[in-house]
Amino acid sequence: MAHDFPLFGDPTDPHGGPHDPSGLSREAVLAAVEARLLTTFGEPSGRAAVTFLGADRIEVLRFGPDADGLVRYATLGMSAAPMADPTAMVADQVRGPRAELVLTIRGGRDSVLRTLATFAATPQVEGLVVAPGGSLDLGSPLWDGAPFTSVLAAEPGGLVPDLELDEPADPVRFLPLLPMTPNEAGWKRVHGAAALEERWLKHGTDLRDPDRRAVPLD
């Protein structure tokens, strides 16, 4: 795994990569995705990138803090190709779900960048289809000192509108990531994502608080 994370700044050749045989190139998709992010959040306050062995480059853009102290981190690169059903004999190079990941943290935690790049690379590296209601588990703190080791992928559309691509490609969906403590993640596996989100809502949980405690699960 080759990292070029440590320094913020404009990375060289940010959208390099092979062209899709349909004519919907990686460069075109990622340029449109970045434009959607900039339209939604404004100019990024930083960006970094990582390249995993056998996978295309993943960038993470940082936006903010805004007037409320919120910092948003968004991946750029996951949507360059559709996520393939791991049971399919042949991966479709055009059709299939496309997504990017968005994490919001009050005050920001830049050490989460590596985690987000790892999550965004899982469709390429592990053949995983990331969808709303699913979990991504790092197995260690999401950022330095975090009480969370995994995230829940929430429903898209509320924060960043879906990005329509030329047919027959599926739109790019921007999935909010909600950090979970190990106990919450275990409870979610038993009771489901909707039940956990309902419990968060019932208790007024601030999911953007980097130091929050686990919601009561009794």
Side-chain angles (χ1 to χ4, degrees), residues 30-107:
L30 296 188
V33 169
E34 184 168 356
R36 174 57 56 87
L37 290 171
L38 267 60
T39 298
T40 304
F41 298 131
E43 288 295 322
S45 56
R47 64 195 302 160
V50 63
T51 302
F52 295 91
L53 183 64
D56 291 326
R57 181 186 183 100
I58 300 291
E59 289 187 67
V60 181
L61 278 60
R62 180 186 64 198
F63 299 91
D66 63 13
D68 296 320
L70 299 177
V71 177
R72 306 188 194 279
Y73 300 94
T75 63
L76 180 63
M78 182 177 171
S79 62
M83 292 180 279
D85 183 342
T87 64
M89 295 296 292
V90 179
D92 193 320
Q93 297 300 308
V94 182
R95 299 173 180 84
R98 296 178 189 248
E100 297 289 357
L101 309 175
V102 181
L103 176 67
T104 302
I105 305 174
R106 181 169 286 104

